[in-house]
Amino acid sequence: MATKKTQKIEAPIDQRETFVSIQKNLAEAASGVRDQLKTLYALQQADTRIDKILQLRGELPLEVESLEEDLAAIADRIAALEAEILEYTSSMTANKNNIAECEAQIAKYREHLDNITNSREYDSLQKEIENQDLLRQIAEKRIGEAREEIMARKHEIAGLQERQAVKNNDLDAKNAELATIVESTAKEEEALVAERDACAAKIDPRTMVAYDKVRNSYVNHLAVVPLYNGNACGGCMSTVPPQTVIEVSSNKKVIICEYCGRILVNPETLD
């Protein structure tokens, strides 16, 4: 009877991985510690150079995004105001029609007054004329209010359009500035991204998770650092014991700074 082939189940990657938690894995890597360290350092160098390119752009991308959001909000407000103007215009038309109907009714009732033979019918027609006149006055008042509302909204739209023009000019200027910076660094950035991807492809997923976590934990985004002045961590500047300095230079084991959790390397002995 054929034996059933068992399938190896991959354990999920813990997104909280650090270099300390995967130190044993790094030491047992098939490519060897030296190659792992060399690849990680090359990855860090590529990321650092990409960071410098992004720093050249400064706050421009965020400023452009903020201006685009402001312009979208202004456009939405103008559209809402224009819709309200249409509603008020429609109400004015309706009230003008009401006024015409009231005046027609008043004219008709006044014609009947000439043929009235008793005071009771006369008083009734006069009451109808008064009611129609009151309805006409209400319609005229509503037309006047609608005109005021339309004027207020047109005034607000004019102010918004002025702001819109200023922000459009700002957006054009910042987009042009950003485009210039992006264009001047595009080739270098493309090459660095390709270099970074090549390095990342050689590193196992758990190590990449740890690398990204450590890198994102610090403002300078350094996860793999050389020794500073030969005896200090290049990340936190803490002094490294002489024996540890020797071990770092040997490239035979993964040395992690006990203070900041970064991997320590000696670039001179990695070549």
Side-chain angles (χ1 to χ4, degrees):
M1 187 175 78
T3 57
K4 186 176 179 181
K5 188 177 180 180
T6 57
Q7 185 177 3
K8 184 180 179 181
I9 299 175
E10 295 283 343
I13 297 173
D14 189 343
Q15 297 301 315
R16 297 169 297 177
E17 295 282 20
T18 64
F19 288 137
V20 174
S21 66
I22 63 166
Q23 191 168 12
K24 183 179 179 181
N25 289 53
L26 285 169
E28 297 174 350
S31 59
V33 173
R34 182 189 184 87
D35 287 342
Q36 283 283 298
L37 293 173
K38 189 173 182 178
T39 302
L40 280 166
Y41 185 60
L43 175 65
Q44 177 66 78
Q45 285 184 303
D47 275 335
T48 298
R49 288 165 66 188
I50 291 171
D51 288 342
K52 287 181 179 178
I53 289 174
L54 296 179
Q55 285 171 6
L56 284 175
R57 299 171 191 172
E59 299 295 321
L60 278 174
L62 292 177
E63 290 173 5
V64 166
E65 183 180 354
S66 177
L67 282 169
E68 288 174 341
E69 290 175 354
D70 288 347
L71 284 166
I74 290 173
D76 288 344
R77 179 56 182 161
I78 289 174
L81 290 169
E82 288 175 340
E84 290 176 11
I85 288 174
L86 285 175
E87 289 180 6
Y88 282 116
T89 302
S90 296
S91 73
M92 285 175 65
T93 300
N95 280 301
K96 285 177 181 178
N97 291 335
N98 290 340
I99 290 172
E101 290 177 6
C102 289
E103 288 176 343
Q105 288 293 327
I106 290 171
K108 185 175 72 171
Y109 291 142
R110 281 178 177 163
E111 283 181 10
H112 287 323
L113 284 175
D114 296 333
N115 302 317
I116 295 304
T117 57
N118 60 74
S119 60
R120 184 175 180 180
E121 191 175 356
Y122 181 86
D123 291 342
S124 177
L125 284 173
Q126 283 286 21
K127 187 65 176 177
E128 289 296 336
I129 289 172
E130 288 176 6
N131 288 338
Q132 290 299 321
D133 188 53
L134 181 60
L135 290 174
R136 181 180 64 183
Q137 290 178 36
I138 291 171
E140 288 174 344
K141 181 182 178 183
R142 287 174 177 171
I143 288 173
E145 291 171 346
R147 284 199 181 103
E148 289 178 1
E149 294 293 345
I150 288 172
M151 286 179 63
R153 279 152 182 75
K154 285 184 176 179
H155 180 72
E156 186 177 349
I157 287 173
L160 288 169
Q161 287 173 335
E162 288 180 6
R163 285 177 55 198
Q164 194 177 45
V166 171
K167 287 186 178 291
N168 270 321
N169 288 335
D170 288 346
L171 180 60
D172 289 342
K174 291 188 183 297
N175 270 328
E177 185 180 354
L178 183 59
T180 300
I181 295 173
V182 170
E183 184 179 1
S184 66
T185 58
K187 289 183 179 179
E188 182 184 1
E189 184 177 4
E190 184 179 352
L192 286 170
V193 169
E195 182 180 337
R196 184 197 191 281
D197 290 344
C199 290
K202 299 177 184 177
I203 300 171
D204 70 274
R206 285 188 67 194
T207 303
M208 278 303 303
V209 167
Y211 170 83
D212 288 332
K213 185 177 187 302
V214 175
R215 189 171 126 76
N216 292 328
S217 298
Y218 298 103
V219 176
N220 59 14
H221 291 170
L222 295 177
V224 183
V225 296
L227 292 172
Y228 179 74
N229 280 345
N231 67 345
C233 170
C236 65
M237 303 304 165
S238 299
T239 302
V240 177
Q243 180 58 38
T244 303
V245 172
I246 295 172
E247 291 175 340
V248 169
S249 298
S250 72
N251 300 314
K252 292 181 179 179
K253 58 190 294 189
V254 178
I255 305 299
I256 299 170
C257 177
E258 61 183 16
Y259 298 101
C260 66
R262 295 177 171 96
I263 287 180
L264 300 174
V265 296
N266 185 336
E268 294 179 3
T269 59
L270 279 175
D271 295 333

